[in-house]
Amino acid sequence: MEKRYDVYAIGNALVDTEIEVSDEFLARMDLGKGLMTLVDEARQKELLEALAGEADPHNHTCGGSACNTVVATQYFGGRGYYACKVADDDTGTFFVDALHAAGVDTNMDGDRESGTSGKCLVMITPDAERTMNSFLGISQFVGESELNEDAIAASRYVYLEGYLVSSDSARAAAVRLRELAERHGVRTSLTFSDPAMVQLFRDGLVEMLGTGVDLLFCNEAEALGFTGTDSPEAALEALKPICNGLAMTLGARGALLWDGEKTHHVEAEPVKPVDTNGAGDMFAGAFLYALTQGHDFPTAGRLASTACARLIREFGPRLPAEAHLEIRRQVLGE
């Protein structure tokens, strides 16, 4: 079958609001620094009201982890499809319009259900760490009906967002996506998404992984938490039975890669981070783009590392489309 898409992703569709805060604010509002916490709409409103005296938001973005990843793949020159669920409200319209503007195909082009679309409050502290409070809204009900089997079969990779593990219907949809991909010979990838998902929903992530995926994305904290080990190298060995390849980000120490045969280390560019929000999403998007274009793991890692270094120097979970092409030429010469 002709491969129309490089990456078919499923995730929580959220419109992000990003704002700078102090560590004192996080402590005062009892917020777990560096984590994604699920909240109800009332709690999110309480935080927004409390933030009124802190700073003005930097931006509003059509976001969510897997959405950021598939948009990055698209901006590098690939083709992406994003399966999700937003409501028939202004937030949902903003989200779908932003996907279209990025060139990403989606299942949300037709009629949408009434309800409230998901929103994420992203709080950035002076050390560039991001703390997220997400109200999933209608996104928590994303399910198997949101999947498009024809588009899945026409993809090179599917990408499962670990955040989906917190919802029964979303987790079932992720499992079904993996199963459909396996049926059609499409490669599978999954990201653990956040240390809190590993800590609170490990059994659900095991269910999403099934007998294993072709490519696993994680950061060091997620890898150590999932495996109960005390070093990235030990975590890699413990993760090998559930994947055919792995990309583990190590922050300023770069990334540890395993291509199924050899282990590779990719150095991180020395930069002063301003905002780490979206860095893991960007890494996965760049990495998947490179792999789907026939590049090897070390090359994919260099593209991903360079893209992340550029991203974290400024606010926001994404780079402009043209920045991706500059990075692509710099690293791949294309």
Side-chain angles (χ1 to χ4, degrees):
M1 174 181 283
E2 178 189 358
K3 297 298 184 181
R4 301 195 310 274
Y5 301 107
D6 294 301
V7 179
Y8 180 111
I10 185 171
N12 284 321
L14 306 171
V15 170
D16 292 345
T17 297
E18 192 171 53
I19 191 166
E20 292 179 77
V21 303
S22 63
D23 285 295
E24 185 275 333
F25 177 84
L26 295 184
R28 174 160 46 91
M29 300 304 294
D30 194 25
L31 295 165
K33 183 174 179 179
L35 300 178
M36 191 288 289
T37 304
L38 296 176
V39 297
D40 59 20
E41 194 169 17
R43 170 61 168 168
Q44 196 171 70
K45 182 179 179 181
E46 176 192 5
L47 290 171
L48 284 169
E49 290 174 350
L51 282 164
E54 288 277 318
D56 293 326
H58 275 284
N59 50 46
H60 299 282
T61 311
C62 149
S65 175
C67 180
N68 291 335
T69 291
V70 77
V71 168
T73 298
Q74 182 84 25
Y75 279 170
F76 274 113
R79 287 287 293 147
Y81 188 108
Y82 185 58
C84 62
K85 194 178 188 74
V86 294
D88 186 16
D89 59 2
D90 290 344
T91 301
T93 298
F94 174 88
F95 190 96
V96 173
D97 288 349
L99 275 184
H100 289 161
V104 174
D105 288 347
T106 180
N107 62 304
M108 286 283 100
D109 287 337
D111 294 335
R112 306 194 301 270
E113 296 178 24
S114 60
T116 304
S117 296
K119 305 177 186 71
C120 180
L121 181 60
V122 184
M123 293 159 283
I124 309 298
T125 39
D127 59 0
E129 182 63 87
R130 97 287 185 269
T131 299
M132 299 185 293
N133 272 220
S134 299
F135 165 62
L136 295 180
I138 201 171
S139 181
Q140 67 186 299
F141 303 114
V142 65
E144 296 181 34
S145 61
E146 272 68 60
L147 299 176
N148 181 327
E149 186 170 356
D150 289 341
I152 294 166
S155 301
R156 291 185 170 86
Y157 266 92
V158 298
Y159 182 77
L160 282 60
E161 179 188 290
Y163 286 125
L164 297 176
V165 72
S166 66
S167 158
D168 290 343
S169 65
R171 185 173 65 254
V175 170
R176 181 61 174 162
L177 173 54
R178 175 181 50 76
E179 292 171 346
L180 288 172
E182 292 168 350
R183 176 188 300 174
H184 291 287
V186 177
R187 291 181 177 177
T188 57
S189 62
L190 178 144
T191 173
F192 282 154
S193 291
D194 192 275
M197 298 300 101
V198 171
Q199 178 183 354
L200 300 174
F201 302 101
R202 188 183 187 282
D203 289 346
L205 288 171
V206 170
E207 181 185 352
M208 287 171 61
L209 284 162
T211 58
V213 293
D214 289 301
L215 179 57
L216 178 63
F217 290 99
C218 58
N219 63 28
E220 182 177 1
E222 294 156 5
L224 299 184
F226 188 86
T227 60
T229 54
D230 58 4
S231 73
E233 292 75 18
L236 170 60
E237 291 303 315
L239 290 168
K240 283 182 178 180
I242 59 171
C243 61
N244 296 322
L246 180 139
M248 184 193 307
T249 55
L250 307 173
R253 304 197 320 280
L256 184 64
L257 312 176
W258 177 60
D259 63 13
E261 295 181 357
K262 295 181 179 180
T263 301
H264 312 272
H265 182 261
V266 176
E267 296 289 341
E269 292 188 21
V271 296
K272 179 175 175 55
V274 171
D275 176 8
T276 58
N277 181 34
D281 308 334
M282 171 63 81
F283 190 97
F287 201 90
L288 285 167
Y289 169 76
L291 289 189
T292 56
Q293 306 310 303
H295 296 285
D296 60 16
F297 269 54
T299 304
R302 287 195 297 275
L303 181 70
S305 181
T306 302
C308 285
R310 172 73 179 273
L311 177 72
I312 65 176
R313 292 204 303 261
E314 52 196 74
F315 284 99
R318 295 189 194 156
L319 292 171
E322 59 272 16
H324 295 73
L325 302 182
E326 294 171 8
I327 295 166
R328 192 182 78 184
R329 284 193 292 268
Q330 175 188 340
V331 178
L332 304 180
E334 299 173 354

